Amino acid sequence: ILPLVSVNQILLLLLVLTVCAILYNKVHQVPLSLRNETVDLESPEEMEEQIPVVICAAAGRMGAAVAAISSIYSNTEADVLFYIVGLKTTIPHIQKWIENSKLKEIKFKVVEFNPMVLKGKIRQDASRPELLQPLNFVRFYLPLLIQKHEKVIYLDDDVIVQGDIQELYNTKLAPGHAAAFSDDCDLPSTHEMVRSVGMQNTYMGFLDYRKPVVRDLGISPSTCSFNPGVIVANMTEWKHQQITKQLEKWMQRNVEENLYSSTLGGGVATSPMLIVFHGKYSSINPIWHIRHLGWSPDACYSDQFLQEAKLLHWNGRYKPWDYPSVHTDLWENWFIPDPSGKFKLTRPDS
Protein backbone atom coordinates (compact mmCIF):
# COMPACT_ATOMS: atom_id res chain seq x y z
CA ILE A 1 0.00 0.00 0.00
CA LEU A 2 1.34 3.40 -1.01
CA PRO A 3 1.75 6.00 1.70
CA LEU A 4 -1.00 8.67 1.84
CA VAL A 5 1.45 11.44 0.94
CA SER A 6 2.45 9.65 -2.26
CA VAL A 7 -1.22 9.24 -3.38
CA ASN A 8 -1.85 12.93 -2.77
CA GLN A 9 1.25 13.84 -4.76
CA ILE A 10 0.13 11.66 -7.69
CA LEU A 11 -3.38 13.20 -7.64
CA LEU A 12 -1.89 16.69 -7.53
CA LEU A 13 0.41 15.88 -10.45
CA LEU A 14 -2.50 14.52 -12.51
CA LEU A 15 -4.53 17.65 -11.73
CA VAL A 16 -1.66 19.90 -12.82
CA LEU A 17 -1.21 17.92 -16.04
CA THR A 18 -4.96 18.13 -16.81
CA VAL A 19 -5.00 21.90 -16.25
CA CYS A 20 -1.92 22.28 -18.47
CA ALA A 21 -3.55 20.23 -21.21
CA ILE A 22 -6.71 22.38 -21.07
CA LEU A 23 -4.71 25.60 -21.17
CA TYR A 24 -2.58 24.32 -24.07
CA ASN A 25 -5.69 23.50 -26.13
CA LYS A 26 -7.22 26.88 -25.33
CA VAL A 27 -4.13 28.74 -26.48
CA HIS A 28 -3.31 26.66 -29.57
CA GLN A 29 -6.75 25.67 -30.83
CA VAL A 30 -7.75 27.53 -34.07
CA PRO A 31 -11.45 28.41 -34.10
CA LEU A 32 -13.42 26.51 -36.75
CA SER A 33 -14.24 29.67 -38.70
CA LEU A 34 -10.57 30.62 -38.95
CA ARG A 35 -9.58 27.09 -39.92
CA ASN A 36 -12.07 27.22 -42.79
CA GLU A 37 -10.75 30.58 -43.91
CA THR A 38 -7.20 29.26 -43.92
CA VAL A 39 -8.17 26.26 -46.04
CA ASP A 40 -10.05 28.48 -48.49
CA LEU A 41 -7.15 30.90 -48.85
CA GLU A 42 -4.68 28.16 -49.53
CA SER A 43 -6.93 26.23 -51.93
CA PRO A 44 -5.75 26.79 -55.53
CA GLU A 45 -9.36 26.75 -56.75
CA GLU A 46 -10.25 29.70 -54.55
CA MET A 47 -7.20 31.85 -55.27
CA GLU A 48 -7.87 34.67 -57.70
CA GLU A 49 -6.29 33.97 -61.06
CA GLN A 50 -4.75 36.63 -63.23
CA ILE A 51 -6.67 36.91 -66.49
CA PRO A 52 -4.39 37.37 -69.52
CA VAL A 53 -6.07 39.21 -72.40
CA VAL A 54 -4.29 39.49 -75.76
CA ILE A 55 -5.16 42.46 -78.02
CA CYS A 56 -3.30 43.75 -81.07
CA ALA A 57 -2.45 47.41 -81.63
CA ALA A 58 -2.17 47.91 -85.38
CA ALA A 59 -1.13 51.10 -87.17
CA GLY A 60 -4.14 53.19 -88.16
CA ARG A 61 -6.50 51.50 -85.71
CA MET A 62 -4.90 51.86 -82.29
CA GLY A 63 -7.99 53.66 -81.05
CA ALA A 64 -9.75 50.32 -81.42
CA ALA A 65 -7.35 48.58 -79.04
CA VAL A 66 -7.66 51.46 -76.58
CA ALA A 67 -11.48 51.32 -76.57
CA ALA A 68 -11.45 47.54 -76.13
CA ILE A 69 -9.01 47.74 -73.20
CA SER A 70 -10.94 50.63 -71.64
CA SER A 71 -14.23 48.69 -71.79
CA ILE A 72 -12.72 45.55 -70.23
CA TYR A 73 -10.95 47.44 -67.45
CA SER A 74 -14.03 49.51 -66.58
CA ASN A 75 -16.39 46.53 -66.27
CA THR A 76 -14.47 44.13 -64.03
CA GLU A 77 -12.78 43.92 -60.66
CA ALA A 78 -10.76 40.90 -61.78
CA ASP A 79 -6.96 41.01 -61.99
CA VAL A 80 -6.49 41.49 -65.74
CA LEU A 81 -3.09 41.53 -67.42
CA PHE A 82 -3.23 42.97 -70.95
CA TYR A 83 -0.77 41.68 -73.53
CA ILE A 84 -0.71 44.40 -76.18
CA VAL A 85 0.87 43.04 -79.33
CA GLY A 86 2.31 45.36 -81.96
CA LEU A 87 4.99 45.76 -84.58
CA LYS A 88 8.26 47.48 -83.73
CA THR A 89 7.10 50.70 -85.43
CA THR A 90 3.75 50.93 -83.61
CA ILE A 91 4.71 49.99 -80.06
CA PRO A 92 5.96 53.43 -78.88
CA HIS A 93 2.67 55.08 -79.92
CA ILE A 94 0.37 52.71 -78.02
CA GLN A 95 2.66 52.75 -74.98
CA LYS A 96 2.53 56.55 -74.75
CA TRP A 97 -1.24 56.54 -75.30
CA ILE A 98 -1.77 54.24 -72.32
CA GLU A 99 0.76 55.93 -70.04
CA ASN A 100 -0.68 59.40 -70.72
CA SER A 101 -4.36 58.58 -70.28
CA LYS A 102 -6.62 57.19 -67.56
CA LEU A 103 -5.50 53.71 -68.68
CA LYS A 104 -2.18 54.25 -66.91
CA GLU A 105 -3.62 52.22 -63.99
CA ILE A 106 -3.93 49.00 -66.01
CA LYS A 107 -1.47 46.10 -65.82
CA PHE A 108 -0.01 45.55 -69.28
CA LYS A 109 2.91 44.13 -71.20
CA VAL A 110 3.82 45.25 -74.70
CA VAL A 111 4.85 42.37 -76.94
CA GLU A 112 6.60 42.85 -80.28
CA PHE A 113 5.40 40.56 -83.07
CA ASN A 114 8.03 39.70 -85.68
CA PRO A 115 6.32 39.48 -89.10
CA MET A 116 9.22 37.40 -90.44
CA VAL A 117 7.52 34.30 -88.99
CA LEU A 118 4.91 34.73 -91.76
CA LYS A 119 7.41 34.84 -94.61
CA GLY A 120 6.23 32.59 -97.45
CA LYS A 121 3.01 31.69 -95.62
CA ILE A 122 0.62 34.40 -96.87
CA ARG A 123 -0.77 34.44 -100.38
CA GLN A 124 -0.94 38.00 -101.69
CA ASP A 125 -4.52 39.06 -102.35
CA ALA A 126 -5.40 42.50 -103.65
CA SER A 127 -9.15 42.46 -102.91
CA ARG A 128 -8.78 43.23 -99.19
CA PRO A 129 -5.11 43.94 -98.43
CA GLU A 130 -5.90 45.00 -94.85
CA LEU A 131 -6.69 41.35 -94.06
CA LEU A 132 -3.10 40.41 -94.85
CA GLN A 133 -1.65 42.64 -92.13
CA PRO A 134 0.77 40.60 -89.95
CA LEU A 135 -1.11 41.25 -86.70
CA ASN A 136 -4.16 39.40 -88.09
CA PHE A 137 -2.15 36.23 -87.54
CA VAL A 138 -1.07 36.87 -83.94
CA ARG A 139 -3.80 34.48 -82.74
CA PHE A 140 -1.94 31.62 -84.51
CA TYR A 141 1.12 32.16 -82.30
CA LEU A 142 -0.36 32.60 -78.82
CA PRO A 143 1.96 30.14 -76.98
CA LEU A 144 5.04 31.81 -78.48
CA LEU A 145 3.94 35.24 -77.26
CA ILE A 146 2.38 34.31 -73.92
CA GLN A 147 4.61 32.02 -71.87
CA LYS A 148 3.39 31.61 -68.30
CA HIS A 149 -0.39 31.23 -68.54
CA GLU A 150 -2.46 28.08 -68.84
CA LYS A 151 -5.57 29.86 -70.12
CA VAL A 152 -5.65 32.95 -72.33
CA ILE A 153 -8.31 35.21 -73.87
CA TYR A 154 -7.64 36.58 -77.35
CA LEU A 155 -9.80 39.46 -78.64
CA ASP A 156 -9.90 41.24 -81.97
CA ASP A 157 -9.35 44.98 -81.57
CA ASP A 158 -12.79 45.90 -83.00
CA VAL A 159 -14.71 44.75 -79.92
CA ILE A 160 -16.00 46.33 -76.75
CA VAL A 161 -16.80 44.38 -73.60
CA GLN A 162 -19.94 45.32 -71.66
CA GLY A 163 -19.82 42.42 -69.17
CA ASP A 164 -17.31 41.19 -66.60
CA ILE A 165 -14.39 39.56 -68.46
CA GLN A 166 -14.17 37.04 -65.59
CA GLU A 167 -17.32 35.37 -67.00
CA LEU A 168 -15.69 34.87 -70.38
CA TYR A 169 -12.52 33.58 -68.73
CA ASN A 170 -14.62 31.02 -66.82
CA THR A 171 -15.72 29.42 -70.10
CA LYS A 172 -15.32 25.65 -69.70
CA LEU A 173 -13.19 23.90 -72.29
CA ALA A 174 -13.92 20.21 -72.82
CA PRO A 175 -11.01 17.77 -72.27
CA GLY A 176 -8.82 17.69 -75.37
CA HIS A 177 -10.04 21.06 -76.67
CA ALA A 178 -7.40 23.74 -77.22
CA ALA A 179 -9.89 26.58 -77.73
CA ALA A 180 -13.47 27.82 -77.43
CA PHE A 181 -15.18 29.94 -80.11
CA SER A 182 -18.64 31.26 -80.96
CA ASP A 183 -20.64 29.29 -83.49
CA ASP A 184 -21.93 31.38 -86.37
CA CYS A 185 -25.31 29.66 -86.02
CA ASP A 186 -25.69 30.16 -82.29
CA LEU A 187 -28.06 33.12 -81.87
CA PRO A 188 -31.43 33.22 -83.72
CA SER A 189 -31.43 37.02 -83.38
CA THR A 190 -28.32 37.24 -85.56
CA HIS A 191 -29.65 34.98 -88.33
CA GLU A 192 -31.84 37.71 -89.82
CA MET A 193 -28.86 40.06 -89.85
CA VAL A 194 -26.71 37.47 -91.61
CA ARG A 195 -29.38 36.84 -94.25
CA SER A 196 -30.08 40.55 -94.80
CA VAL A 197 -26.46 41.41 -95.61
CA GLY A 198 -25.75 38.21 -97.57
CA MET A 199 -23.05 37.05 -95.19
CA GLN A 200 -21.86 33.46 -95.14
CA ASN A 201 -21.96 31.44 -91.93
CA THR A 202 -20.93 28.02 -93.25
CA TYR A 203 -17.67 26.44 -94.42
CA MET A 204 -18.80 27.00 -98.02
CA GLY A 205 -18.24 30.71 -97.45
CA PHE A 206 -14.60 30.26 -96.45
CA LEU A 207 -13.13 27.33 -98.39
CA ASP A 208 -12.99 26.65 -102.12
CA TYR A 209 -14.83 23.33 -102.48
CA ARG A 210 -13.81 23.11 -106.13
CA LYS A 211 -10.35 22.10 -104.88
CA PRO A 212 -9.82 18.34 -104.26
CA VAL A 213 -7.72 19.10 -101.15
CA VAL A 214 -10.69 20.88 -99.57
CA ARG A 215 -13.18 18.16 -100.55
CA ASP A 216 -10.84 15.50 -99.17
CA LEU A 217 -11.14 17.07 -95.71
CA GLY A 218 -14.54 15.41 -95.49
CA ILE A 219 -16.16 18.54 -94.01
CA SER A 220 -19.66 19.23 -95.29
CA PRO A 221 -19.84 22.67 -96.96
CA SER A 222 -23.03 23.37 -94.97
CA THR A 223 -21.20 22.93 -91.63
CA CYS A 224 -21.63 26.00 -89.45
CA SER A 225 -18.50 28.15 -89.24
CA PHE A 226 -17.19 29.87 -86.11
CA ASN A 227 -15.67 33.29 -85.52
CA PRO A 228 -12.07 33.42 -84.18
CA GLY A 229 -12.29 37.09 -83.17
CA VAL A 230 -12.95 35.98 -79.59
CA ILE A 231 -10.98 32.97 -78.33
CA VAL A 232 -10.61 31.32 -74.94
CA ALA A 233 -7.54 29.12 -75.35
CA ASN A 234 -5.86 26.36 -73.34
CA MET A 235 -2.13 26.80 -73.89
CA THR A 236 -1.19 23.30 -72.72
CA GLU A 237 -3.51 21.65 -75.25
CA TRP A 238 -2.51 24.13 -77.95
CA LYS A 239 1.15 23.17 -77.57
CA HIS A 240 0.40 19.47 -77.12
CA GLN A 241 -1.62 19.36 -80.36
CA GLN A 242 0.91 21.57 -82.18
CA ILE A 243 -1.90 23.87 -83.30
CA THR A 244 0.49 26.58 -84.54
CA LYS A 245 2.30 24.06 -86.74
CA GLN A 246 -1.00 22.79 -88.15
CA LEU A 247 -2.16 26.34 -88.95
CA GLU A 248 1.13 27.10 -90.68
CA LYS A 249 0.77 23.95 -92.76
CA TRP A 250 -2.57 25.12 -94.15
CA MET A 251 -1.25 28.63 -94.75
CA GLN A 252 1.54 27.06 -96.80
CA ARG A 253 -0.93 24.88 -98.73
CA ASN A 254 -3.00 27.96 -99.53
CA VAL A 255 0.06 29.77 -100.92
CA GLU A 256 0.66 26.80 -103.23
CA GLU A 257 -2.93 25.87 -104.15
CA ASN A 258 -5.21 28.88 -103.37
CA LEU A 259 -7.62 26.97 -101.13
CA TYR A 260 -9.23 30.07 -99.71
CA SER A 261 -9.01 33.80 -100.33
CA SER A 262 -10.23 37.08 -98.89
CA THR A 263 -12.97 37.19 -101.53
CA LEU A 264 -14.50 34.26 -99.66
CA GLY A 265 -15.77 34.73 -96.12
CA GLY A 266 -14.01 38.04 -95.57
CA GLY A 267 -10.84 36.80 -93.92
CA VAL A 268 -7.70 34.78 -94.61
CA ALA A 269 -6.99 34.18 -90.91
CA THR A 270 -10.31 32.39 -90.31
CA SER A 271 -10.05 29.63 -92.92
CA PRO A 272 -7.01 27.76 -91.53
CA MET A 273 -8.61 27.83 -88.08
CA LEU A 274 -11.85 26.39 -89.46
CA ILE A 275 -9.86 23.48 -90.87
CA VAL A 276 -7.62 22.81 -87.85
CA PHE A 277 -10.33 23.17 -85.19
CA HIS A 278 -13.17 21.43 -87.07
CA GLY A 279 -15.10 19.33 -84.54
CA LYS A 280 -12.51 20.03 -81.84
CA TYR A 281 -13.55 23.20 -80.03
CA SER A 282 -15.78 24.21 -77.14
CA SER A 283 -18.49 26.87 -77.33
CA ILE A 284 -18.53 30.38 -75.92
CA ASN A 285 -21.84 31.63 -74.54
CA PRO A 286 -23.47 33.39 -77.55
CA ILE A 287 -24.18 36.57 -75.55
CA TRP A 288 -20.40 36.89 -75.17
CA HIS A 289 -19.88 37.47 -78.88
CA ILE A 290 -22.50 39.55 -80.67
CA ARG A 291 -20.98 40.19 -84.07
CA HIS A 292 -21.54 41.41 -87.64
CA LEU A 293 -21.93 45.03 -86.46
CA GLY A 294 -19.40 46.07 -89.09
CA TRP A 295 -20.75 44.02 -91.95
CA SER A 296 -23.08 46.67 -93.40
CA PRO A 297 -23.65 50.39 -92.70
CA ASP A 298 -27.37 49.59 -92.59
CA ALA A 299 -27.23 46.57 -90.26
CA CYS A 300 -28.80 47.33 -86.89
CA TYR A 301 -29.76 45.33 -83.81
CA SER A 302 -32.42 46.44 -81.34
CA ASP A 303 -31.28 48.64 -78.46
CA GLN A 304 -32.52 46.13 -75.89
CA PHE A 305 -30.58 43.29 -77.53
CA LEU A 306 -27.38 45.35 -77.60
CA GLN A 307 -27.76 46.38 -73.96
CA GLU A 308 -28.01 42.73 -72.90
CA ALA A 309 -24.95 41.74 -74.95
CA LYS A 310 -21.74 41.15 -73.00
CA LEU A 311 -19.41 41.71 -75.98
CA LEU A 312 -19.98 43.56 -79.28
CA HIS A 313 -17.87 42.90 -82.38
CA TRP A 314 -17.72 45.17 -85.44
CA ASN A 315 -16.33 42.47 -87.74
CA GLY A 316 -16.57 43.52 -91.39
CA ARG A 317 -15.52 46.61 -93.33
CA TYR A 318 -17.51 49.25 -91.44
CA LYS A 319 -15.63 50.05 -88.24
CA PRO A 320 -17.01 52.23 -85.42
CA TRP A 321 -14.08 54.68 -85.54
CA ASP A 322 -14.78 55.21 -89.25
CA TYR A 323 -17.69 56.43 -91.33
CA PRO A 324 -20.18 55.07 -92.25
CA SER A 325 -20.77 52.62 -89.40
CA VAL A 326 -23.52 51.60 -86.98
CA HIS A 327 -23.99 51.75 -83.19
CA THR A 328 -20.97 54.04 -82.90
CA ASP A 329 -22.34 55.58 -79.67
CA LEU A 330 -21.83 52.26 -77.84
CA TRP A 331 -18.24 52.08 -79.02
CA GLU A 332 -17.47 55.75 -78.29
CA ASN A 333 -18.51 55.26 -74.65
CA TRP A 334 -15.15 53.56 -74.16
CA PHE A 335 -12.93 55.42 -76.58
CA ILE A 336 -10.15 57.55 -75.06
CA PRO A 337 -8.77 60.28 -77.36
CA ASP A 338 -5.15 59.99 -78.47
CA PRO A 339 -3.03 62.39 -76.34
CA SER A 340 -0.67 62.80 -79.31
CA GLY A 341 -3.55 63.69 -81.67
CA LYS A 342 -2.37 61.22 -84.35
CA PHE A 343 -5.45 58.99 -84.22
CA LYS A 344 -8.72 60.77 -85.02
CA LEU A 345 -12.27 59.51 -85.39
CA THR A 346 -13.84 59.85 -88.83
CA ARG A 347 -17.30 61.37 -88.49
CA PRO A 348 -19.70 62.98 -91.01
CA ASP A 349 -19.13 66.44 -89.49
CA SER A 350 -15.34 66.09 -89.20
Side-chain angles (χ1 to χ4, degrees):
I1 297 170
L2 288 168
L4 187 59
V5 175
S6 297
V7 171
N8 288 340
Q9 285 175 334
I10 291 168
L11 288 174
L12 183 61
L13 182 61
L14 287 173
L15 182 63
V16 169
L17 288 172
T18 304
V19 170
C20 287
I22 292 168
L23 287 172
Y24 181 90
N25 284 337
K26 286 276 186 191
V27 171
H28 288 85
Q29 185 182 30
V30 180
L32 188 61
S33 60
L34 288 180
R35 276 213 307 273
N36 288 342
E37 276 182 34
T38 306
V39 170
D40 285 347
L41 287 170
E42 291 178 353
S43 168
E45 290 78 19
E46 295 298 322
M47 286 179 72
E48 185 181 322
E49 282 187 80
Q50 194 168 55
I51 299 177
V53 176
V54 179
I55 294 180
C56 295
R61 46 193 290 163
M62 285 190 198
V66 166
I69 292 166
S70 169
S71 68
I72 294 164
Y73 181 64
S74 302
N75 287 306
T76 189
E77 292 184 4
D79 182 14
V80 180
L81 174 60
F82 293 97
Y83 284 87
I84 302 168
V85 186
L87 302 180
K88 192 173 186 176
T89 52
T90 60
I91 284 173
H93 186 185
I94 192 72
Q95 196 148 4
K96 284 180 184 172
W97 197 330
I98 289 169
E99 290 170 354
N100 291 287
S101 71
K102 62 183 181 183
L103 289 180
K104 62 178 177 286
E105 304 296 327
I106 70 168
K107 290 182 184 175
F108 74 102
K109 290 183 179 179
V110 174
V111 181
E112 182 183 339
F113 183 67
N114 185 353
M116 289 306 293
V117 299
L118 301 171
K119 191 175 181 182
K121 300 184 184 77
I122 301 176
R123 186 183 183 87
Q124 293 308 307
D125 195 321
S127 60
R128 286 193 68 187
E130 76 276 12
L131 297 173
L132 305 178
Q133 295 301 316
L135 295 181
N136 278 339
F137 301 92
V138 161
R139 69 198 94 189
F140 290 14
Y141 297 94
L142 291 176
L144 302 180
L145 298 166
I146 314 302
Q147 301 291 337
K148 65 174 186 173
H149 302 281
E150 168 75 7
K151 198 175 186 182
V152 171
I153 294 173
Y154 167 87
L155 298 177
D156 275 355
D157 60 0
D158 51 357
V159 308
I160 59 161
V161 173
Q162 301 185 135
D164 185 343
I165 198 75
Q166 181 78 53
E167 288 180 34
L168 181 60
Y169 185 75
N170 290 344
T171 299
K172 299 289 186 193
L173 273 67
H177 286 178
F181 305 99
S182 294
D183 257 4
D184 281 329
C185 307
D186 56 9
L187 270 181
S189 47
T190 66
H191 296 173
E192 196 174 316
M193 166 94 72
V194 169
R195 283 195 298 272
S196 70
V197 298
M199 186 178 146
Q200 292 288 343
N201 62 354
T202 64
Y203 273 58
M204 174 70 88
F206 292 88
L207 302 175
D208 188 349
Y209 275 83
R210 295 170 300 179
K211 302 291 170 69
V213 176
V214 173
R215 292 199 301 272
D216 288 348
L217 290 168
I219 302 172
S220 167
S222 62
T223 301
C224 189
S225 53
F226 58 80
N227 186 298
V230 176
I231 308 172
V232 181
N234 179 313
M235 293 292 92
T236 302
E237 277 297 335
W238 193 293
K239 287 182 274 195
H240 175 68
Q241 297 178 33
Q242 298 187 307
I243 297 293
T244 298
K245 205 173 208 177
Q246 291 188 59
L247 292 166
E248 288 186 323
K249 181 189 89 171
W250 285 105
M251 291 168 77
Q252 196 70 54
R253 292 291 294 269
N254 183 57
V255 169
E256 296 160 4
E257 303 174 55
N258 197 17
L259 306 178
Y260 52 86
S261 76
S262 58
T263 54
L264 292 165
V268 291
T270 298
S271 301
M273 298 197 88
L274 291 177
I275 296 170
V276 170
F277 284 101
H278 174 251
K280 293 186 292 185
Y281 66 91
S282 298
S283 294
I284 289 172
N285 184 336
I287 209 71
W288 266 100
H289 194 178
I290 304 303
R291 48 209 178 277
H292 317 318
L293 277 78
W295 202 257
S296 162
D298 305 314
C300 287
Y301 288 116
S302 73
D303 288 341
Q304 183 183 351
F305 180 69
L306 292 174
Q307 283 166 11
E308 292 170 358
K310 299 296 181 77
L311 182 148
L312 302 176
H313 188 185
W314 279 261
N315 58 311
R317 294 173 185 264
Y318 302 96
K319 303 301 185 188
W321 56 89
D322 241 327
Y323 181 83
S325 53
V326 297
H327 303 301
T328 52
D329 54 325
L330 293 172
W331 183 85
E332 275 193 58
N333 281 341
W334 307 108
F335 175 67
I336 298 169
D338 182 0
S340 74
K342 292 177 189 171
F343 181 94
K344 292 183 173 67
L345 301 182
T346 306
R347 294 294 180 255
D349 53 353
S350 63

